[in-house]
Each structure stands twice: as structure tokens, then as C-alpha cells.
């Protein structure tokens, strides 16, 4: 039996970006059902994953994961069941406020990547649907939070 080492769990649909390289626009136009996974279902999935002990769990897929305000609690639940698992979130950074950042640090999140296509506001707006400057400010603020908390989280901007 092949055991998956990396698991992605999309907790909700939707994104506040409109990236030209992302399939989200096609999803919106498809009129497929949208919504949010129940916390109970998320916990049931995580509880079953304990049996196979994946290397990495990524609670996102084709969405902006920080739109789900439950995310820090969901990550904390993952780590309560599998303390050694690597959790990874990739975000567009628009919602990476100090409050959200602090909650992510406290959740035990192991890796966070912010996707930013350009430092130029207009270019980033063309590519992703929003200006770069607020995201850069969020990135710098989060880096300061990591330092303040002495966190060893793997934080990257790509």
C-alpha cells in the first residue's frame, strides 16, 4: 500500500485575489458548489491521518487559506494529534495582519510562504488583483513578530 506523505486539505472555497495564473477564476465561472468544511469533518480527517503519519499537512489548496479565521485553531488541532508533522500554508499575504500572524505562530505552524509576484503595485495588481505594498507591509510585520516570539517557523516569500 502506498502511503501519501503530503496531504492537502482545503477547508473552504474562495480567494480574495484574482491571479492570472490561478484556476480560481474558472472555478467561479463554473458555478460549482462553494462553502466551508465543517470543523467536525476536518477533525475526523486529521484523526484518520494519525494512522498513516504523513510528513506534511497543508490546510489549503485552491483558495486563500487566511480567509478561514479558524485556520490557527485547525493547525493547532493537527499538532495536538501529530506534534512532529510539518504544517505548511501558502498565502497571498493580504490577510497576514499582526493578529492573524500571532495566532499562526501560537498554533504551531511550521512553515509559511507568502506568494508575491512583484514589488511594483501596478504590476502586482495586474498579476494578482491587488497592490504589493500592503502585502510587503504584512510580510515585514510578520517577520518582526517571529523575532519577537523567538519563533523558528520557516517563513519564506516567493
Amino acid at each position: 500500500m502506498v502511503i501519501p506523505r503530503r496531504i492537502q486539505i482545503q477547508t473552504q472555497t474562495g480567494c480574495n485575489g484574482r491571479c492570472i495564473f490561478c484556476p480560481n477564476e474558472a472555478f467561479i465561472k463554473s458555478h460549482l458548489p462553494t462553502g466551508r468544511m465543517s470543523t467536525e469533518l476536518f477533525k475526523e480527517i486529521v484523526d484518520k491521518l494519525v494512522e498513516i503519519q504523513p510528513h506534511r499537512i497543508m490546510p489549503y489548496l485552491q483558495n486563500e487559506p487566511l480567509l478561514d479565521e479558524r485556520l490557527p485553531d485547525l493547525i493547532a488541532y493537527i499538532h495536538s494529534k501529530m506534534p512532529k508533522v510539518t504544517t505548511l500554508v501558502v498565502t497571498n499575504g493580504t490577510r497576514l495582519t499582526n493578529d492573524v500572524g500571532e495566532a499562526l505562530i501560537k498554533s504551531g505552524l511550521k512553515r509559511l510562504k507568502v506568494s508575491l509576484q512583484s514589488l511594483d503595485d501596478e504590476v502586482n495588481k495586474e498579476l494578482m488583483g491587488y497592490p504589493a505594498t500592503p502585502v510587503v507591509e504584512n510580510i515585514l510585520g510578520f517577520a518582526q513578530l517571529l523575532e519577537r516570539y523567538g519563533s523558528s517557523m520557516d517563513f519564506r516569500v516567493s
Side-chain angles (χ1 to χ4, degrees), residues 134-148:
V135 176
V136 171
E137 291 169 358
N138 288 347
I139 289 167
L140 295 173
F142 187 70
Q144 290 174 344
L145 277 176
L146 289 172
E147 192 173 318
R148 186 178 323 141

Side-chain angles (χ1 to χ4, degrees), residues 44-63:
E44 184 180 326
I45 291 167
V46 170
D47 292 346
K48 289 182 180 186
L49 290 174
V50 170
E51 297 171 20
I52 64 169
Q53 290 292 312
H55 172 71
R56 183 182 302 161
I57 298 177
M58 300 159 282
Y60 72 94
L61 189 56
Q62 292 178 353
N63 67 337

